[in-house]
């Protein structure tokens, strides 16, 4: 799914920066995000990953532009979102 849905086009798995943040070691990491214009730190847990896939512009990682990632919540089934989150827990 990570490849077939195009995630790999914007997110690396090796730590390199692309259009979107790298997802290497993302699970349980601390990230600074902008939420409604306010900067704060979040822990990337299952809930955060689900929300970010479904609503990618709600919490935008500092240093990245909003509006680039499509709203995958309307494009993926719940099963697919769950599979992606499970995958990201292990990268």
């Amino acid at each position: 799914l990570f490849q077939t849905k195009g995630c790999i086009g914007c997110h690396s798995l090796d730590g390199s920066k692309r259009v979107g943040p790298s997802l290497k070691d993302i699970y349980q990491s601390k990230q600074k995000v902008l939420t409604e214009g306010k900067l704060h730190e979040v822990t990337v847990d299952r809930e955060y990953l689900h929300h970010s896939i479904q609503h990618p512009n709600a919490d935008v990682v500092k240093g990245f532009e909003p509006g680039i990632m499509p709203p995958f919540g309307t494009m993926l089934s719940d099963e697919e979102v769950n599979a992606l989150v499970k995958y990201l827990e292990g990268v």
Side-chain angles (χ1 to χ4, degrees):
L1 280 174
F2 193 77
Q3 291 182 0
T4 60
K5 296 299 182 179
C7 307
I8 194 73
C10 295
H11 299 281
S12 78
L13 297 174
D14 65 3
S16 61
K17 185 176 177 180
R18 292 190 181 164
V19 175
S22 175
L23 300 176
K24 179 181 181 183
D25 299 323
I26 193 73
Y27 188 63
Q28 295 300 318
S29 70
K30 303 284 187 196
Q31 298 290 319
K32 292 185 186 211
V33 299
L34 283 169
T35 304
E36 296 180 3
K38 296 180 182 172
L39 185 65
H40 64 104
E41 187 173 87
V42 297
T43 299
V44 180
D45 57 11
R46 288 185 63 76
E47 182 179 334
Y48 175 83
L49 290 171
H50 272 273
H51 192 257
S52 290
I53 292 168
Q54 295 173 321
H55 308 282
N57 294 305
D59 302 299
V60 178
V61 175
K62 183 181 177 185
F64 294 91
E65 294 295 320
I68 295 175
M69 184 169 157
F72 280 106
T74 61
M75 301 164 69
L76 299 174
S77 70
D78 289 341
E79 184 178 275
E80 289 172 319
V81 172
N82 287 334
L84 283 170
V85 168
K86 187 163 184 71
Y87 175 72
L88 294 174
E89 288 176 353
V91 265

